[in-house]
Amino acid sequence: MPTTPRTHHRLTAGLLTLLLACAPLTACSSDSNDNPLGIGTFDPEAMASAKASESAAAAAASASAAASAQAAGVVTAESLSTDRYIVTSIPQGLDDPQTEVLKAFINYDQVTWNIWFTGTGVENAEPLMTAEAYQSFKDHYDPIAGETVSGGLRVAVISALITSPDPANAKAEVRVCSDQSDLNSFDTSGQENTDPETLQGNYERIVTLIFDGETWRTATEKTLSTNKCEA
């Protein structure tokens, strides 16, 4: 009968599949007294244990991959964050030059914010800015030197673009949204003097950087909107 070989083939394939599944997972059992043919029977507890082992192995592999990426210098929002400066998102698909611009901006922004947080260290900003930008920063800082800011902020990087790739005149722009709603300021005596109109809120900013042949330096910073973006 032509149907017999096909039926026999499907049955054999089914048994083979079952046996192959039992072998690596040890999720099957065989008792010669109850099962004279020696065909493995399904063991739910063993299968659950096997699946748990597979899940643990997958989690370990994922953690290992994340650690390898971090060791390899892969830039992520998390790797750019600190306890008080949380980067919530960065653009996807940045090439190496754009990534360098992103890192230069984040370093500048974290250093300058740390000056406001602690009320000290204004000189730390000088290597990160053009001479004109640093002088402007000092002009704003010196009258309130020693005042501090508490809390933290969240920053979403919207874009990081190189606008002029000419090596002799390389420029870049980074656009961000900064959520400063958790910040409060204090004068040198520790008295709170927060002005919600100028300190708190969500601010969309665009920062221009130039390449001086060795590093990217911040040249200008401009606020584009207030309370219209989200970080």
Side-chain angles (χ1 to χ4, degrees), residues 101-125:
V101 168
L102 171 65
K103 292 192 294 184
F105 162 75
I106 293 292
N107 186 39
Y108 152 78
D109 211 31
Q110 289 178 345
V111 167
T112 50
W113 268 108
N114 196 55
I115 294 169
W116 298 119
F117 284 144
T118 63
T120 60
V122 67
E123 67 279 358
N124 296 331

Side-chain angles (χ1 to χ4, degrees), residues 52-139:
S53 297
E54 288 180 349
S55 297
S62 177
S64 176
S68 297
Q70 185 173 5
V74 176
V75 174
T76 64
E78 183 177 3
S79 71
L80 295 171
S81 299
T82 67
D83 290 343
R84 302 182 70 173
Y85 186 101
I86 306 300
V87 180
T88 60
S89 63
I90 61 175
Q92 299 298 309
L94 297 181
D95 59 22
D96 289 345
Q98 291 170 328
T99 300
E100 290 305 310
V101 168
L102 171 65
K103 292 192 294 184
F105 162 75
I106 293 292
N107 186 39
Y108 152 78
D109 211 31
Q110 289 178 345
V111 167
T112 50
W113 268 108
N114 196 55
I115 294 169
W116 298 119
F117 284 144
T118 63
T120 60
V122 67
E123 67 279 358
N124 296 331
E126 186 172 9
L128 310 177
M129 309 170 75
T130 63
E132 295 82 2
Y134 179 64
Q135 186 58 54
S136 177
F137 183 78
K138 274 182 58 65
D139 290 344

Side-chain angles (χ1 to χ4, degrees), residues 2 5 11 15 19 25 31 38 67 80 110 129 136 142 151 159 192 197 200 202 205 213 223 231:
L11 179 61
L15 292 176
L19 292 173
L25 298 177
D31 189 325
L80 295 171
Q110 289 178 345
M129 309 170 75
S136 177
D142 287 346
S159 63
E192 184 176 355
E197 295 298 322
Q200 299 175 335
N202 289 2
R205 300 179 290 138
T223 299

